[in-house]
Amino acid sequence: MLDDFSRVLRFKAHLSVLDAGPDTLFIVDETRRSVLRGAVYVSIAACLRESMTIAQTIATLSARFSDWQVLAALDHLERQAYLRSDAPDELDAARGFFERTGLDGDRACEQLAQLRVAVEAFGVDPAPQERALAACGIEVDREAPLVIALVDSYARRELAEVTERVLARGGSVLVAMPYGIQPLIGPLLGPEDNAPNAPCIACLRYWTSLNQPVQTLLARHHGDVALSLAPAHTLASVAAVSAFAAALIQQIAVSEARREHARRHILSYRIDTSATASHRVVRRPQCPHCGNPHWMQEQATRAPILKGGDVLASREGGFRSIEPQGVLKRYAHLVSRVSGAIAYLHPMPGRHAGLRHVYVAGYLVCPPGIPRTNRFDRVCSGKGRTDEHARVSALCEAIERFSGVYQGDEMTVRASMLELQRGDAHGGSAPVAVNELQQFSESQFARRDAINALTEDVRKQVPQRFSGDDVVDWTPAWSLNTGMRHWVPLSYCFADTPDSAEGLTFCVHNPNGSAAGSCLEEAILQGLLELVERDATAIWWYNQVQRPAVDIANFRDPYFDALLREYESMGWRLWALDITHDLGIPVIVALAENPATGRFSIGFGCHLDSRIALQRALTEVNQLLNVTADAPPPWDAAKLSSKQFLYPATDQTSVDATVHASIDARELKDAIEQCVSRLYAAGMEVFVVDKTRPDLGLPVVQVIVPGLCHFWPRFGAMRLYSVPVKLGWLSRARSEEELNQALLFL
């Protein structure tokens, strides 16, 4: 530009150039500002305003500045991309717009001059969008390579058809739902060559259907007509969305970064609040259209291999390989009411207060049958000693539970237990004995009809008695003791299976031992600890055994001390009991009571480190505490024959921080192997079912140890009766009739 002194230079039209005195020049736009010190810049700016050539500028300023000073200043302005050498025209404003977004304004305007867009609409009037495109100077052409597909539902068959047709000829489709109070725009669906890791139309339809379970259910009975909501919009709302879509189309046409973002996101626009948000659409590795539909089956055929090498890091929430903020950053995109596996994540009303950090997360499911109640919403909660810990806890709990919902791509075999035992099918892998897994007593089976008549909660019901001839679906579980494959009932591990929909209730879904972790080993360890915790809880609770207090103050933890004071300030007492049993892994129960009302809260914790076990118990009390007077109690107080076991035993010494030696393990693999060894010594085998969903990415497993108790009432569990006698807690085993009749469901 400076090689021709006859050129007339000017500042780019989107820049505001003003001096602040004789030696300071400001160059400002929306996104940046520059301060140029030196009288030469102020003088040059004055010359450029007069439309002088470079030669005229040098001559005009020669009395004050040398030619070199003027040229050096002009060179700096040019290198900073402040100058142009053409005459002002009607494209100045558009060039300036793109310059402010960091693009080359000239190139962007050239690309827009060639932009053509086709409009196809299904259940939506295309006219507002066509008018908006025309008003923006975008040519509407039926044969254009870019198609904006206007729909009233992402589930419309026509959307899949138009996408297939357009992509086959090398074009792209921008999807938009312009109606409603929250219109949606995106994603941009293009050929595989242009976006190798972007989601396809099948991925899009999967994610957007998750949060519309009622429409999905009704579509089974009424067809596609049930997939779309009744129209709700105004002329202004549709016009605004159409203009918004036109602006996005322009950005997609001129910006590769914006194009890449559009390929993986849906943009929502709340008309009533003017709030916008981006919703990630993940490409599913197991997608039947663009991925490997056999992913889950292939995963299930591989035995879990415990990897070593990572030194154990004892963090606030336990042995974690990644800090909470890292977990949140990695998986937060899964939270979206538009395209996420998790519909919401926020502080839990009524429980999140003060030092009590409690979050709630939820996901939606479409049950296989017609539910009698609202079984679409599944609520999870999380707790921690900080807000961040609680948020991550709730998120991971929801991902864990979502991963345990049957989707149809899991590895299954259909057979009777006898067929599997005889080796007549599937390589002779042995099944896990179903009745040992569920541990219902003969008395519970005999009273099945009476028990089930009292509730519709399947957790509280007794299934049909299982026999070796009953045919059900099975899924692989791998023994950590032998490395061999076994079979467990699919309906035990996964919710909403076909068996449960058909009323084949031989096995109740039981997520006990399910856990998520930043790596497979972390998930397995957390699952093991949950099983140990609930085994100890059941033995303590149903036998109503008095246990010693935990000396909370002895741990010298500022959070523990502050929490005690906070409960006291609310009029509640807070204490903890040591219920560690024969496995020798610290298990603690924490309780809070309001003496004025007699209301309780309760929480449990298990960990190799007794301090973390106590922390988990205390934060779970927070999680279950609702201070409102009408909150449901954690158990049926009327069926509790005695409350004495809830309080510290007066004849036993309080337990301090050192009474339980932590398991000596340097890495997660060591910790798992030592837990497995303790269970094996007690006569039990450990199995693992890998539930990890590749599209979510968070490792999820279910650890299964037949023989361990659950705190749900499973009165056929032998340990429920033998362990208290073995440890000297009771002089004789209680009968089933003598067990605590206040059932525990938390």
Side-chain angles (χ1 to χ4, degrees):
M1 194 182 298
L2 299 181
D3 57 352
D4 182 357
F5 283 17
S6 66
R7 289 179 179 271
V8 175
L9 303 181
R10 64 185 175 105
F11 284 104
K12 291 183 176 179
H14 72 286
L15 300 175
S16 295
V17 182
L18 295 168
D19 63 81
D23 59 358
T24 305
L25 187 71
F26 281 88
I27 301 179
V28 182
D29 69 9
E30 284 181 87
T31 59
R32 61 178 180 170
R33 60 184 180 275
S34 297
V35 182
L36 301 179
R37 300 304 299 269
V40 66
Y41 291 110
V42 176
S43 300
I44 288 174
C47 293
L48 297 188
R49 293 189 192 99
E50 297 298 325
S51 301
M52 293 184 185
T53 64
I54 297 174
Q56 290 171 331
T57 300
I58 293 172
T60 301
L61 302 181
S62 61
R64 297 181 59 195
F65 309 104
S66 68
D67 293 359
W68 179 87
Q69 287 177 302
V70 175
L71 289 172
L74 286 170
D75 181 65
H76 176 74
L77 294 172
E78 182 184 13
R79 284 187 286 105
Q80 294 299 312
Y82 294 148
L83 302 179
R84 298 184 64 84
S85 62
D86 58 354
D89 60 26
E90 69 280 357
L91 293 178
D92 267 353
R95 278 193 291 262
F97 174 86
F98 293 115
E99 292 276 356
R100 288 184 182 181
T101 66
L103 299 175
D104 183 321
D106 291 306
R107 177 170 172 76
C109 288
E110 291 172 3
Q111 292 171 320
L112 289 184
Q114 303 171 23
L115 179 59
R116 297 178 297 126
V117 177
V119 179
E120 299 202 27
F122 308 99
V124 175
D125 180 7
Q129 187 62 66
E130 291 174 344
R131 287 195 296 269
L133 292 171
C136 297
I138 300 174
E139 181 182 351
V140 178
D141 180 353
R142 291 181 58 84
E143 302 302 318
L146 174 61
V147 175
I148 179 168
L150 306 173
V151 294
D152 54 0
S153 169
Y154 283 104
R156 268 193 172 268
R157 286 195 304 270
E158 296 95 332
L159 176 59
E161 293 166 359
V162 71
T163 300
E164 181 179 2
R165 169 167 46 84
V166 173
L167 267 59
R169 58 179 171 85
S172 299
V173 175
L174 178 67
V175 189
M177 287 179 54
Y179 292 170
I181 63 167
Q182 180 173 268
L184 305 174
I185 305 174
L188 176 67
L189 302 169
E192 176 76 12
D193 293 344
N194 294 343
N197 297 313
C200 71
I201 182 64
C203 297
L204 171 64
R205 289 159 67 90
Y206 169 82
W207 290 117
T208 53
S209 69
L210 288 179
N211 292 308
Q212 295 182 323
V214 176
Q215 290 97 311
T216 302
L217 176 67
L218 293 175
R220 298 174 191 162
H221 301 272
H222 300 282
D224 288 355
V225 67
L227 295 172
S228 303
L229 296 175
H233 56 83
T234 68
L235 293 177
S237 71
V238 174
V241 177
S242 300
F244 210 33
L248 179 59
I249 287 171
Q250 284 190 333
Q251 289 295 306
I252 288 171
V254 302
S255 169
E256 180 60 31
R258 195 68 186 88
R259 195 154 51 246
E260 283 300 305
H261 187 272
R263 284 171 176 151
R264 293 168 176 81
H265 293 84
I266 295 172
L267 180 67
S268 66
Y269 179 26
R270 284 288 302 228
I271 299 296
D272 56 336
T273 65
S274 298
T276 61
S278 286
H279 307 265
R280 176 88 173 270
V281 184
V282 176
R283 178 167 186 169
R284 305 181 69 227
Q286 73 271 46
C287 174
H289 184 75
C290 68
N292 175 12
H294 306 295
W295 183 296
M296 292 297 292
Q297 292 95 326
E298 293 170 3
Q299 176 176 275
T301 64
R302 298 189 292 269
I305 299 175
L306 302 180
K307 298 178 181 178
D310 293 332
V311 177
L312 275 182
S314 182
R315 308 186 192 276
E316 293 296 347
F319 294 157
R320 302 294 187 183
S321 56
I322 300 178
E323 292 282 3
Q325 59 268 31
V327 175
L328 193 62
K329 181 178 180 181
R330 185 176 295 182
Y331 301 107
H333 68 273
L334 295 173
V335 182
S336 167
R337 288 187 180 273
V338 172
S339 62
I342 312 305
Y344 54 86
L345 173 66
H346 57 75
M348 180 178 282
R351 301 192 185 185
H352 181 84
L355 295 174
R356 306 185 312 281
H357 304 286
V358 183
Y359 269 69
V360 60
Y363 60 96
L364 301 176
V365 297
C366 181
I370 301 176
R372 296 181 181 178
T373 58
N374 184 1
R375 289 188 55 234
F376 301 100
D377 296 86
R378 305 293 168 87
V379 179
C380 306
S381 60
K383 79 284 187 185
R385 63 189 291 157
T386 69
D387 193 85
E388 191 170 59
H389 285 123
R391 185 186 297 112
V392 170
S393 172
L395 173 61
C396 292
E397 175 81 4
I399 295 174
E400 169 210 312
R401 294 301 177 92
F402 178 89
S403 299
V405 176
Y406 176 78
Q407 295 189 19
D409 58 352
E410 297 81 2
M411 182 176 181
T412 63
V413 299
R414 192 161 185 83
S416 71
M417 191 162 67
L418 288 176
E419 288 175 325
L420 295 174
Q421 288 172 336
R422 290 195 303 261
D424 296 345
H426 313 291
S429 299
V432 174
V434 176
N435 290 330
E436 290 182 20
L437 191 64
Q438 300 194 101
Q439 300 191 5
F440 288 98
S441 69
E442 289 301 316
S443 173
Q444 286 178 301
F445 279 125
R447 294 182 292 114
R448 175 176 182 264
D449 291 342
I451 293 172
N452 293 356
L454 298 175
T455 178
E456 292 187 353
D457 186 341
V458 294
R459 299 176 305 160
K460 301 178 181 180
Q461 293 183 336
V462 179
Q464 300 176 49
R465 191 191 303 269
F466 189 81
S467 73
D469 294 320
D470 290 318
V471 176
V472 297
D473 290 322
W474 305 78
T475 198
W478 294 88
S479 171
L480 291 186
N481 299 80
T482 66
M484 300 296 292
R485 183 180 68 177
H486 294 254
W487 297 101
V488 292
L490 180 72
S491 58
Y492 181 86
C493 301
F494 292 92
D496 298 325
T497 61
D499 277 358
S500 63
E502 296 168 10
L504 301 177
T505 53
F506 293 114
C507 197
V508 175
H509 171 54
N510 190 338
N512 194 28
S514 295
S518 297
C519 61
L520 181 70
E521 294 77 15
E522 189 178 304
I524 291 174
L525 179 59
Q526 299 311 315
L528 279 167
L529 294 176
E530 179 174 279
L531 290 174
V532 173
E533 170 197 298
R534 293 179 175 181
D535 180 67
T537 297
I539 291 168
W540 164 74
W541 178 265
Y542 288 109
N543 286 282
Q544 296 179 288
V545 181
Q546 281 201 278
R547 299 299 300 137
V550 174
D551 187 351
I552 299 176
N554 181 262
F555 283 80
R556 303 182 188 282
D557 187 304
Y559 176 74
F560 297 170
D561 297 338
L563 197 61
L564 287 169
R565 292 192 297 270
E566 180 169 296
Y567 272 78
E568 184 178 3
S569 71
M570 297 189 301
W572 287 68
R573 288 182 56 223
L574 178 63
W575 68 94
L577 306 177
D578 177 25
I579 60 173
T580 305
H581 58 351
D582 60 321
L583 299 177
I585 300 172
V587 183
I588 293 173
V589 53
L591 296 111
E593 181 187 22
N594 185 334
T597 63
R599 294 182 58 237
F600 279 87
S601 183
I602 193 169
F604 304 94
C606 175
H607 200 270
L608 311 181
D609 183 327
S610 58
R611 186 188 68 82
I612 298 176
L614 175 58
Q615 177 182 289
R616 289 182 169 184
L618 292 173
T619 54
E620 189 165 280
V621 168
N622 297 340
Q623 181 179 351
L624 299 177
L625 176 69
N626 194 325
V627 297
T628 59
D630 59 348
W635 55 77
D636 188 344
K639 293 184 178 180
L640 198 63
S641 60
S642 171
K643 297 194 301 182
Q644 198 61 36
F645 76 104
L646 300 176
Y647 303 105
T650 56
D651 60 345
Q652 299 183 54
T653 305
S654 296
V655 172
D656 65 21
T658 61
V659 70
H660 296 298
S662 298
I663 290 180
D664 183 19
R666 295 185 177 182
E667 54 190 31
L668 287 167
K669 181 175 181 289
D670 290 341
I672 293 169
E673 290 173 345
Q674 292 195 44
C675 290
V676 171
S677 176
R678 294 189 181 205
L679 289 162
Y680 181 74
M684 291 172 284
E685 189 171 2
V686 178
F687 303 95
V688 172
V689 176
D690 192 348
K691 297 182 178 180
T692 306
R693 303 286 182 180
D695 49 355
L696 305 184
L698 183 69
V700 175
V701 302
Q702 182 167 7
V703 183
I704 299 172
V705 181
L708 287 182
C709 306
H710 195 326
F711 58 54
W712 293 354
R714 302 292 189 260
F715 294 151
M718 293 300 99
R719 284 176 55 81
L720 198 58
Y721 307 93
S722 63
V723 169
V725 178
K726 172 185 174 182
L727 294 176
W729 295 356
L730 296 175
S731 59
R732 66 170 180 84
R734 297 197 192 280
S735 67
E736 182 173 340
E737 292 73 23
E738 293 175 304
L739 296 178
N740 189 352
Q741 296 303 301
L743 308 181
L744 205 57
F745 289 98
L746 300 175

